[in-house]
């Protein structure tokens, strides 16, 4: 009878736990949700998160509050989320740095794939291969020819070592044999300033940061880094049209601490997918150069793994170091 009573008590406890978890997921969220963005306020990444957060706040009945935690190449924000309770009340804006940092940083206190549960994809956005206005090449093919005729004389700017902007350029170098000098800056703003001034020659910048300067004629776009042309830059070809197989896009999504209940993850995923299907939302995202990437949590998980594997090769071959 003692063993039977103990077994019955264990079964009852397990049943109550499962029921309580299901009830919590059904009611979720019952209080504000913190969304960690590992960038300063005001940038394109921060704006993207705020647009989606406003939708989630309106549709899910609780505030989704942006918490900017920049620093450490994104790793401070990631570490905060990894160490947060897996209860659905802390989210992470997943972005290209997470795919790159898995190889770039040798002693991270977390394993991104192991410790962050994928929730939902948001958007992909191309980078733009752009040159200063007085640069002699007007096409990617002409650029490659000029580069090979002038090895080591082209300055390739970036928004910082290890960023997606830097790695897009390193991928181009490895696939074309171009010998260019990497000049890292502390952000896209300073890099663009020097490109406009002609102090550096080429930049593989995120589209939202550069599109105003391109359309204003201050710099010249040679190509976009996505596999398909970008509607917001009509007439601009892809790098892949000249360099087959080249592709480098910025990608964004949502993650939560590993162990977050699947029902909560599915609930947020479903609402994000509804947002990405909304015509007005799609229009707002297009203004940022973003193409929606709807799908299941598993779909977004595959994106993360594919990006980590892709950039591992580029980081190793480029010899990129953390400054």
């Amino acid at each position: 009878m003692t063993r039977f009573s103990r077994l019955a008590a264990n079964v009852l406890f397990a049943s109550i736990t499962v029921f309580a978890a299901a009830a919590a997921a059904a009611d979720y969220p019952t209080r504000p949700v913190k969304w960690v963005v590992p960038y300063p306020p005001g940038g394109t990444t921060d704006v993207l998160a705020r647009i989606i957060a406003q939708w989630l706040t309106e549709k899910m009945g609780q505030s989704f509050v942006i918490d900017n935690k920049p620093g450490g190449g994104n790793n401070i924000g990631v570490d905060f989320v990894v160490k947060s309770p897996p209860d659905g009340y802390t989210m992470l804006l997943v972005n290209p740095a997470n795919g790159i940092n898995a190889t770039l940083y040798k002693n991270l206190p977390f394993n991104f794939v192991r410790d962050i549960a994928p929730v939902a994809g948001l958007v992909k956005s191309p980078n733009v291969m752009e040159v200063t206005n007085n640069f002699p090449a007007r096409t990617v093919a002409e650029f490659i020819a000029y580069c090979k005729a002038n090895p080591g004389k082209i300055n390739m700017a970036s928004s910082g070592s290890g960023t997606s902007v830097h790695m897009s350029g390193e991928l181009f170098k490895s696939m074309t044999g171009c010998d260019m000098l990497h000049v890292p800056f502390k952000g896209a703003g300073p890099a663009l300033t020097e490109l406009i001034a002609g102090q550096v020659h080429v930049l593989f910048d995120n589209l939202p940061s550069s599109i105003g300067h391109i359309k204003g004629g201050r710099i010249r776009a040679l190509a976009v880094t996505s596999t398909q042309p970008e509607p917001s830059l009509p007439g601009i070809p892809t790098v892949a049209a000249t360099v087959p197989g080249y592709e480098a896009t910025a990608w964004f999504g949502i993650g939560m601490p590993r162990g977050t209940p699947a029902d909560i993850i599915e609930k947020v995923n479903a609402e994000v997918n509804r947002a990405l299907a909304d015509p007005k939302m799609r229009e707002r995202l297009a203004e940022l150069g973003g193409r929606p990437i709807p799908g299941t949590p598993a779909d977004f998980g595959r994106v993360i793994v594919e990006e980590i594997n892709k950039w591992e090769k580029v980081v190793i071959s480029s010899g990129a170091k953390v400054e």
Side-chain angles (χ1 to χ4, degrees):
M1 286 296 295
T2 302
R3 279 189 205 160
F4 179 79
S5 299
R6 204 176 290 139
L7 177 61
N10 288 339
V11 170
L12 178 61
F13 177 77
S15 299
I16 291 172
T17 302
V18 169
F19 178 79
D27 294 339
Y28 173 89
T30 58
R31 65 180 194 277
V33 177
K34 180 181 293 185
W35 191 355
V36 173
V37 175
Y39 290 95
T44 302
T45 305
D46 180 64
V47 171
L48 168 65
R50 291 179 189 278
I51 290 172
I52 301 297
Q54 181 181 359
W55 174 284
L56 295 176
T57 296
E58 292 173 356
K59 303 299 183 183
M60 300 190 75
Q62 287 287 340
S63 297
F64 282 69
V65 182
I66 301 299
D67 184 7
N68 297 96
K69 291 188 180 296
N74 254 241
N75 296 317
I76 290 175
V78 176
D79 192 50
F80 177 87
V81 174
V82 166
K83 293 176 179 175
S84 297
D87 55 9
Y89 289 92
T90 307
M91 309 197 310
L92 173 71
L93 182 72
V94 183
N95 66 90
N98 305 136
I100 294 166
N101 289 352
T103 305
L104 185 64
Y105 288 81
K106 305 304 179 186
N107 297 299
L108 290 174
F110 53 81
N111 178 298
F112 195 86
V113 172
R114 181 195 66 205
D115 296 333
I116 293 292
V119 175
L122 294 176
V123 297
K124 280 190 173 184
S125 176
N127 289 348
V128 186
M129 181 182 180
E130 54 204 28
V131 294
T132 189
N133 277 336
N134 61 5
F135 195 81
R138 306 194 74 84
T139 67
V140 174
E142 290 178 0
F143 182 95
I144 294 171
Y146 184 88
C147 187
K148 291 188 174 180
N150 298 273
K153 295 182 180 180
I154 294 178
N155 292 332
M156 182 188 79
S158 82
S159 54
S161 293
T163 61
S164 67
V165 175
H166 174 206
M167 290 294 106
S168 295
E170 293 294 347
L171 180 61
F172 182 85
K173 288 167 61 177
S174 69
M175 294 182 70
T176 62
C178 281
D179 178 10
M180 299 186 285
L181 175 65
H182 175 222
V183 183
F185 290 87
K186 292 182 178 179
L192 281 164
T193 297
E194 295 303 302
L195 185 69
I196 293 168
Q199 299 303 308
V200 292
H201 303 112
V202 63
L203 176 66
F204 291 75
D205 193 30
N206 300 142
L207 173 61
S209 303
S210 288
I211 192 167
H213 297 297
I214 293 168
K215 292 190 172 182
R218 291 179 286 277
I219 53 179
R220 191 168 71 249
L222 296 186
V224 293
T225 63
S226 50
T227 57
Q228 300 295 324
E230 171 54 41
S232 62
L233 290 177
I236 302 299
T238 64
V239 175
T242 304
V243 186
Y246 182 94
E247 188 268 340
T249 52
W251 50 279
F252 302 92
I254 298 172
M256 289 182 177
R258 183 67 65 178
T260 300
D263 287 352
I264 288 177
I265 289 175
E266 292 289 349
K267 194 169 186 179
V268 175
N269 174 272
E271 194 54 60
V272 168
N273 282 323
R274 278 189 282 273
L276 298 182
D278 180 76
K280 290 184 178 179
M281 176 64 76
R282 294 174 74 91
E283 185 177 339
R284 292 187 73 186
L285 296 177
E287 292 172 357
L288 297 176
R291 296 183 182 181
I293 48 173
T296 66
D299 291 335
F300 185 51
R302 281 188 286 271
V303 171
I304 294 171
V305 172
E306 288 168 2
E307 291 289 328
I308 288 174
N309 292 339
K310 174 181 179 175
W311 293 112
E312 177 183 22
K313 300 171 186 175
V314 180
V315 169
I316 292 172
S317 65
S318 70
K321 306 291 183 184
V322 179
E323 297 182 346

